[in-house]
Amino acid sequence: MFDFDQIIERKSDKCRKWDHDFVCSRFGDVPEDFIPLWIADMDFTSPPAVIEGFQRIVAHGTFGYTWCFEDFYAAVVGFQQQRHQVSVDPSWITLTYGTVSTLHYTVQAFCQPGDWVMMNTPVYDPFAMAAERQGVRVLANPLRAENNRYQLDFTLMEEQLRTHRPKLYFFCSPHNPSGRIWRAEEIRQVSELCQRYGVILMIDEVHAEHILEGTFVSSLASGCAAHDNLILLTSPNKAFNLGGLKTSYSIIPDARLRQRFRQQLEKNSITSPNIFGVWGIILAYQQGLPWLDALNQYLRGNALWLTDAISTHFPQWQMMNPESSYLAWVDVSRDPRSATELTQHFARQAGVVIEDGSHYVQNGENYLRINFGTQRVWLEQAIQRMVKHY
Ligand SMILES: Cc1ncc(COP(=O)(O)O)c(C=O)c1O
């Protein structure tokens, strides 16, 4: 029904991932026929229902100011209920202009320069940018890789919370870069520690829709995270490839917390949505689920294929099992070359553009990140080229 093997020509659409000049500005002299497996952007068109909905808006031809009308709240409530079995009160929802900018506003709303924001590293780099750009310090709680799977260090976490008293805890669930899905018990423990030490818990659930193995547990699930200090940030952008629309939303059950958060948005006039952004959420959430299920099946196949290819051709590398998302996180610490040397070599010699983990917030230096959200044939060709030029 949905053909994820179909190659989509993307060199002309000015996406960062496929633009030769842009890629050369980041990775040096990369051959023209490069295969990009870097930035977290998939090579699939969005669900047909989303595209058709946008086409109707375009055909109508007026793009005036809009507002968060009822259908937006209904779409979020319905999606969260159907997909994650949680009941969201519409009053908890606030539309925002992308999760990354919202991380920044969240720091502005709740921190003063010199405060700490805690996070488990390695983690998505904008977590640290959002803090540091406001003069707020990053308190890193390193994840421990045990049997090639990340674990939280609760003892150290409590010690850090007690001694540094951070204002915010940024928790990535599921985790980017590893795809690790946190169990209810783990989320609950993080939440309880935050409550004990008076810390606001921001949980980023942007990667919750691509579940390849296991079960995702929403922070809103009953008995999981406490509601009085929780800020949930998410968007359909990863799931449905809508990142360029720069629209997202927050769910904040506690009225006082929500009010402070909204005041910060209002100070910056984050009030009415982009017309495609708000419709993108409605269309994807209300009509995109069959497509999402089919996509997840395709991504599962890609993950298995890549795991097998890496263990066959690069036995000294170790790929973590991606329980979610479409990013492979590969430990190359036993390779004689560093991750940075490997990525430069593959980009320039093989024309395969992957990233090393050094841009993540700490502890990612020995890892490669490979984006497998693409047609299988690109993965096959990329691995062939990497093997040839290794
Ligand atoms: C953990 C995480 N949060 C947020 C984002 C970006 O979300 P948005 O498109 O809603 O800004 C990404 C994108 O890669 C991500 O990995």
Side-chain angles (χ1 to χ4, degrees):
M1 194 166 144
F2 305 104
D3 182 7
F4 296 105
D5 280 319
Q6 194 194 338
I7 303 277
I8 311 293
E9 190 284 304
R10 297 198 69 196
K11 285 203 165 161
S12 57
D13 78 5
K14 287 284 175 213
C15 68
R16 287 189 226 169
K17 189 179 184 185
W18 283 87
D19 189 89
H20 188 246
D21 290 342
F22 193 92
V23 166
C24 287
S25 73
R26 286 283 298 262
F27 296 92
D29 206 3
V30 173
E32 284 272 2
D33 66 345
F34 70 99
I35 302 173
L37 305 178
W38 64 292
I39 189 167
D41 177 341
M42 298 188 292
D43 293 323
F44 309 114
T45 50
S46 292
V50 174
I51 299 170
E52 285 155 22
F54 287 164
Q55 279 166 343
R56 284 194 294 275
I57 300 171
V58 171
H60 193 247
T62 62
F63 310 107
Y65 299 115
T66 184
W67 80 104
C68 285
F69 42 92
E70 174 56 28
D71 312 46
F72 159 70
Y73 296 101
V76 171
V77 169
F79 178 83
Q80 291 290 340
Q81 181 67 57
Q82 186 178 348
R83 214 65 190 170
H84 303 310
Q85 296 76 51
V86 292
S87 297
V88 174
D89 188 300
S91 69
W92 300 352
I93 304 166
T94 310
L95 184 131
T96 45
Y97 295 173
T99 308
V100 172
S101 63
T102 313
L103 290 169
H104 288 65
Y105 295 123
T106 304
V107 174
Q108 290 164 11
F110 299 104
C111 298
Q112 296 296 322
D115 285 344
W116 295 95
V117 175
M118 188 158 169
M119 58 195 77
N120 307 100
T121 58
V123 77
Y124 185 50
D125 30 328
F127 276 30
M129 289 171 197
E132 286 164 352
R133 286 174 178 162
Q134 331 298 328
V136 170
R137 293 175 285 179
V138 170
L139 182 56
N141 176 272
L143 293 167
R144 288 195 322 249
E146 287 173 11
N147 299 322
N148 205 26
R149 189 162 190 256
Y150 279 134
Q151 301 295 344
L152 293 159
D153 182 342
F154 287 106
T155 311
L156 177 63
M157 199 181 287
E158 176 150 23
E159 197 181 303
Q160 289 174 311
L161 287 166
R162 193 174 41 241
T163 50
H164 289 78
R165 300 279 168 172
K167 289 282 181 351
L168 284 167
Y169 195 123
F170 280 181
F171 190 59
C172 196
S173 171
H175 176 245
N176 175 7
S178 69
R180 167 77 147 83
I181 296 174
W182 305 112
R183 294 191 312 269
E185 180 52 31
E186 291 169 316
I187 302 170
R188 187 161 37 243
Q189 260 184 280
V190 171
S191 171
E192 279 171 13
L193 283 173
C194 284
Q195 278 216 308
R196 192 172 311 155
Y197 292 97
V199 181
I200 297 166
L201 176 60
M202 185 296 298
I203 303 199
D204 175 331
E205 296 188 356
V206 162
H207 288 277
E209 320 313 340
H210 296 140
I211 300 304
L212 310 183
E213 195 182 312
T215 309
F216 166 74
V217 183
S218 165
S219 56
L220 295 168
S222 108
C224 202
H227 277 189
D228 63 356
N229 65 341
L230 177 66
I231 298 178
L232 164 57
L233 301 186
T234 193
S235 74
N237 298 342
K238 292 287 112 183
F240 300 94
N241 228 19
L242 300 174
L245 298 179
K246 296 279 179 188
T247 307
S248 59
Y249 61 94
S250 65
I251 300 179
I252 308 178
D254 184 78
R256 281 213 327 219
L257 207 58
R258 199 166 60 235
Q259 194 193 4
R260 267 181 76 185
F261 176 85
R262 285 185 179 166
Q263 273 168 358
Q264 191 61 38
L265 297 186
E266 276 160 23
K267 274 189 196 169
N268 293 282
S269 195
I270 315 277
T271 44
S272 66
N274 170 300
I275 190 160
F276 289 98
V278 70
W279 274 111
I281 291 178
I282 297 167
L283 292 162
Y285 278 5
Q286 292 189 334
Q287 297 176 49
L289 300 194
W291 177 93
L292 184 60
D293 287 335
L295 171 73
N296 281 340
Q297 201 49 34
Y298 190 83
L299 292 175
R300 260 174 225 123
N302 275 2
L304 284 175
W305 187 89
L306 189 61
T307 305
D308 185 53
I310 285 183
S311 68
T312 305
H313 299 293
F314 303 100
Q316 71 280 39
W317 298 0
Q318 229 188 353
M319 176 171 152
M320 279 195 184
N321 181 27
E323 298 169 7
S324 65
S325 194
Y326 49 85
L327 304 170
W329 189 239
V330 186
D331 180 352
V332 293
S333 54
R334 287 190 291 147
D335 196 291
R337 278 175 287 186
S338 71
T340 309
E341 284 167 338
L342 286 167
T343 51
Q344 283 174 359
H345 177 76
F346 288 133
R348 293 169 199 175
Q349 305 306 319
V352 176
V353 181
I354 55 181
E355 283 177 281
D356 64 65
S358 58
H359 64 280
Y360 277 88
V361 188
Q362 301 185 19
N363 314 317
E365 299 74 15
N366 291 327
Y367 289 82
L368 299 178
R369 190 189 77 165
I370 305 176
N371 177 346
F372 59 83
T374 191
Q375 289 73 27
R376 180 80 52 85
V377 67
W378 288 126
L379 286 185
E380 289 168 356
Q381 287 187 20
I383 292 290
Q384 265 173 27
R385 290 192 197 185
M386 286 162 68
V387 170
K388 184 169 163 212
H389 291 274
Y390 178 65

